[in-house]
């Protein structure tokens, strides 16, 4: 696929959604319908959230395709996803054998987006922590950026009902990552992101060490190394509407250790 149209800065405003459409010099205007957007939702026991979340995504970005990556959810999320996909051609489902982790699910979505030649890949949590109302701002930021982050830690962003300990850990890890990996973003751990797929093709995704919570920071570091322009737009991170949190203390400790190891090597130039 020729991705030249996504690498040049000339843009034409859309008359339908307000998003801008990239145009290559010397070529005809690319219409909005030619911008292919994929929204990935990694699910494990999200049956109570899935249908309403997809409905709200399509209310904001009706042209977006949805990829549900389900890790054999015991509550039947995968079966519901299949039912939704049977009724709507914009919905696609990837079934995995078991709980393989958020990082590998996001990587699977990236490879799917590249294989199917999408232009933008949006990653969202499937529990309404990442509300679809922020999608227009995230997508609009792609006019000048290759990665847009829905950020909790810039002016206008924030979190709802987080305990102090969680805020301290999150801010500390983000500070460490920004310092050691030299990433020009305030929210390096946030998973609400849009990636330019043509730039993902230039990013080393084959040697990632992370599979859990550290994946978001490591992949952002890899994007920076590939020359991606990184931007942020404020969001309020909301508590899930239904279901149980999947935060695992053991995985948090392991992820922080991985980030420290990668960060020290990056800072010292030992890569």
């Amino acid at each position: 696929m020729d991705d030249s149209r996504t690498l040049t800065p000339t843009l034409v405003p859309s008359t339908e959604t307000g998003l801008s459409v990239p145009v290559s010099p010397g070529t005809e205007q690319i219409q909005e319908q030619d911008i292919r957007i994929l929204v990935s939702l990694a699910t494990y026991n999200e049956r109570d959230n899935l249908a309403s979340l997809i409905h709200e995504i399509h209310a904001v970005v009706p042209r977006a395709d949805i990829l549900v990556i389900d890790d054999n959810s015991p509550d039947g999320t995968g079966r519901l996803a299949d039912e939704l996909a049977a009724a709507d051609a914009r919905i696609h489902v990837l079934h995995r054998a078991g709980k393989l982790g958020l990082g590998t699910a996001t990587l699977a979505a990236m490879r799917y987006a590249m294989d199917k030649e999408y232009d933008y890949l949006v990653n969202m949590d499937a529990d309404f922590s990442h509300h679809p109302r922020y999608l227009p701002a995230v997508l609009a930021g792609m006019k000048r950026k290759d990665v847009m982050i829905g950020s909790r830690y810039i002016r206008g962003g924030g979190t709802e009902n987080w305990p102090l300990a969680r805020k301290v850990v999150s801010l500390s890890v983000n500070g460490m990552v920004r310092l050691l990996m030299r990433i020009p973003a305030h929210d390096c751990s946030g998973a609400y992101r849009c990636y330019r797929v043509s730039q993902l093709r230039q990013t080393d995704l084959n040697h990632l060490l992370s599979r859990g919570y550290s994946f978001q920071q490591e992949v952002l570091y890899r994007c920076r190394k590939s020359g991606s322009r990184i931007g942020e737009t404020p969001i309020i991170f909301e508590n899930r509407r239904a279901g149980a949190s999947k935060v695992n203390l053991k995985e948090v400790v392991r992820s922080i250790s991985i980030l420290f190891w990668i960060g020290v090597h990056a800072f010292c130039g030992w890569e």
Side-chain angles (χ1 to χ4, degrees):
M1 177 182 179
D2 181 1
D3 291 301
S4 60
R5 71 180 189 275
T6 64
L7 296 175
T8 52
T10 306
L11 297 129
V12 176
S14 159
T15 57
E16 287 193 28
T17 67
L19 302 180
S20 294
V21 179
V23 179
S24 298
T27 65
E28 295 182 359
Q29 176 177 329
I30 298 172
Q31 300 298 318
E32 180 189 87
Q33 59 266 28
D34 294 322
I35 298 293
R36 302 190 66 220
I37 300 170
L38 179 68
V39 178
S40 69
L41 303 172
T43 59
Y44 187 78
N45 288 346
E46 297 292 354
R47 183 180 179 87
D48 292 340
N49 291 309
L50 185 62
S52 55
L53 178 59
I54 291 176
H55 175 77
E56 293 198 32
I57 291 171
H58 279 150
V60 178
V61 189
R63 295 187 184 276
D65 285 354
I66 309 287
L67 176 64
V68 179
I69 304 174
D70 186 69
D71 280 0
N72 197 21
S73 298
D75 73 344
T77 303
R79 291 192 299 274
L80 174 61
D82 286 337
E83 293 169 6
L84 295 171
D88 190 334
R90 297 170 296 178
I91 302 172
H92 311 275
V93 186
L94 175 61
H95 293 280
R96 305 201 300 176
K99 195 173 181 181
L100 301 178
L102 182 60
T104 60
T106 305
L107 189 58
M110 290 175 170
R111 300 206 181 283
Y112 186 96
M114 289 187 281
D115 290 344
K116 302 297 183 181
E117 298 188 333
Y118 285 92
D119 295 302
Y120 298 156
L121 169 65
V122 180
N123 184 75
M124 299 175 65
D125 286 353
D127 59 3
F128 276 99
S129 296
H130 299 154
H131 200 283
R133 67 173 169 269
Y134 300 112
L135 279 170
V138 170
L139 291 168
M142 296 300 289
K143 298 181 208 176
R144 299 179 181 87
K145 304 297 180 181
D146 301 305
V147 182
M148 275 298 296
I149 303 168
S151 178
R152 300 160 292 180
Y153 301 133
I154 61 173
R155 183 182 297 273
T159 60
E160 280 190 350
N161 301 319
W162 271 23
L164 179 60
R166 186 174 180 183
K167 289 183 180 180
V168 169
V169 170
S170 179
L171 287 168
S172 299
V173 170
N174 273 284
M176 178 186 73
V177 168
R178 290 174 61 198
L179 173 65
L180 296 180
M181 300 184 193
R182 300 180 177 89
I183 297 176
H186 293 81
D187 194 344
C188 301
S189 58
Y192 198 165
R193 296 180 186 172
C194 182
Y195 300 91
R196 190 180 301 276
V197 176
S198 60
Q199 191 64 26
L200 284 178
R201 293 192 180 95
Q202 309 303 316
T203 302
D204 181 9
L205 301 174
N206 295 318
H207 299 96
L208 294 167
L209 299 178
S210 303
R211 292 295 179 267
Y213 301 129
S214 58
F215 178 87
Q216 303 300 339
Q217 294 94 323
E218 183 180 357
V219 79
L220 194 61
Y221 169 61
R222 300 283 184 180
C223 287
R224 181 191 69 75
K225 286 188 64 182
S226 73
S228 293
R229 301 161 297 172
I230 299 170
E232 299 180 276
T233 187
I235 67 163
I236 301 298
F237 184 93
E238 303 175 17
N239 285 333
R240 61 168 47 249
R241 290 191 181 179
S245 173
K246 299 160 183 89
V247 174
N248 181 295
L249 181 59
K250 182 178 179 180
E251 177 57 34
V252 170
V253 173
R254 179 177 180 273
S255 293
I256 291 174
S257 300
I258 290 174
L259 290 175
F260 184 74
W261 191 90
I262 296 171
V264 168
H265 280 71
F267 188 81
C268 297
W270 294 342
E271 302 169 276

